[in-house]
Amino acid sequence: MENGKGPGKHRRRTVLTGAVPVLAAAAVLASGLTARTLAAAPQPAGQTGQAGKAVHRVPTEDRVVFLTVDDGLKRHAGMIDLLRGSGIKATLFLTGQYVRQDSGFFRRMRDRTGAVVENHTVGHPDLAGRPRALQHKEICAASDRFEKVFGRRPTLLRPPYGSFDATTVQVAAECGVKHLVHWSAEIAKGHIEFAAGDRLVPGDIVLMHFRDEFKEDIEAFIDQARKDGLTPALLEDYLK
């Protein structure tokens, strides 16, 4: 589709700036999240990159599900401990302005949890219908910056709000993106909303955000995956 809209309620959010609180990790870990940890994922068979095609769900027979975390607005040390304690390797679709504010936080999360950083543009605009020059700056400048900061150039792009057009597809490919990634379920405030049905299925891509409810959202993801007999896996292992 040329102007894609992913499922779920991924709506516009107010961009906030300023100091970010650091919370004590001990209080967060007291939740007993480790008890929810699931088994290791199977060895994947990767899917070939198709930058012009938005991926909502990975076609795989493996009983795996993928966690993706967007933006980076809210940050505190307990998030790293929660993700590390769960054993989940998540894909972080980061917005450039938040990486600029606190690149150290995201490096620590990557290093301690095995997460992978991908592209969610510089400033989180709706890309559909925007001039080519603006889209190029939003996508390519983010990839350039992330490559310098994290030592790896993003191969995945999540267009803000799930919105893109033919120009987005062309520019993304020029900037090294192999897949445009949407989602098939979304978690917010500990509640999961499905694009279809009432459960997760193999290959589902789940969206959540760096929000105050990070703990509740991680727990909801783990509980739902376990209920549906799925194991969290790293998206990049399946999208090549």
Side-chain angles (χ1 to χ4, degrees):
M1 60 185 172
E2 205 174 78
N3 186 358
K5 296 288 183 179
K9 297 181 178 178
H10 192 185
R11 298 212 170 102
R12 298 181 184 273
R13 294 170 297 285
T14 303
V15 176
L16 304 177
T17 58
V20 178
V22 178
L23 304 183
V28 179
L29 291 177
S31 65
L33 179 63
T34 338
R36 292 183 167 87
T37 303
L38 301 177
Q43 291 297 316
Q47 299 294 319
T48 304
Q50 297 181 10
K53 189 174 182 180
V55 179
H56 293 83
R57 178 181 292 115
V58 175
T60 178
E61 295 181 0
D62 294 343
R63 295 197 61 79
V64 293
V65 63
F66 308 102
L67 181 65
T68 64
V69 191
D70 277 17
D71 298 349
L73 171 61
K74 298 285 186 174
R75 304 177 294 275
H76 59 73
M79 292 175 172
I80 299 175
D81 294 309
L82 281 165
L83 199 56
R84 183 179 182 182
S86 74
I88 297 170
K89 293 183 179 180
T91 298
L92 313 179
F93 285 100
L94 301 182
T95 304
Q97 60 183 328
Y98 302 129
V99 172
R100 185 171 60 251
Q101 290 174 10
D102 196 355
S103 60
F105 171 84
F106 298 112
R107 278 197 297 266
R108 290 191 297 275
M109 178 169 278
R110 177 202 61 186
D111 294 344
R112 296 178 186 177
T113 71
V116 177
V117 172
E118 300 290 2
N119 192 331
H120 198 39
T121 73
V122 172
H124 207 277
D126 187 330
L127 295 174
R130 306 299 289 275
R132 180 183 179 85
L134 182 145
Q135 296 203 41
H136 189 279
K137 180 178 179 180
E138 285 290 335
I139 298 170
C140 298
S143 286
D144 292 344
R145 176 63 176 166
F146 293 178
E147 186 172 17
K148 290 179 181 178
V149 171
F150 302 107
R152 174 189 174 276
R153 190 169 187 83
T155 60
L156 308 180
L157 169 70
R158 173 162 284 156
Y161 316 111
S163 179
F164 70 98
D165 59 16
T167 300
T168 313
V169 171
Q170 294 168 1
V171 170
E174 292 168 6
C175 297
V177 170
K178 297 181 180 180
H179 295 274
L180 270 61
V181 179
H182 285 212
W183 58 95
S184 45
E186 180 175 1
I187 301 175
K189 298 183 178 180
H191 172 74
I192 186 164
E193 181 175 326
F194 307 95
D198 60 357
R199 67 189 64 191
L200 295 173
V201 300
D204 268 348
I205 299 171
V206 180
L207 164 69
M208 59 174 280
H209 292 82
F210 284 92
R211 291 174 173 153
D212 290 331
E213 299 86 6
F214 193 88
K215 171 180 172 291
E216 290 84 351
D217 292 349
I218 288 284
E219 290 177 342
F221 172 75
I222 293 174
D223 289 344
Q224 189 67 47
R226 184 170 57 183
K227 176 183 176 182
D228 296 330
L230 301 174
T231 299
L234 181 64
L235 185 59
E236 285 78 2
D237 287 342
Y238 283 77
L239 292 181
K240 303 295 186 181

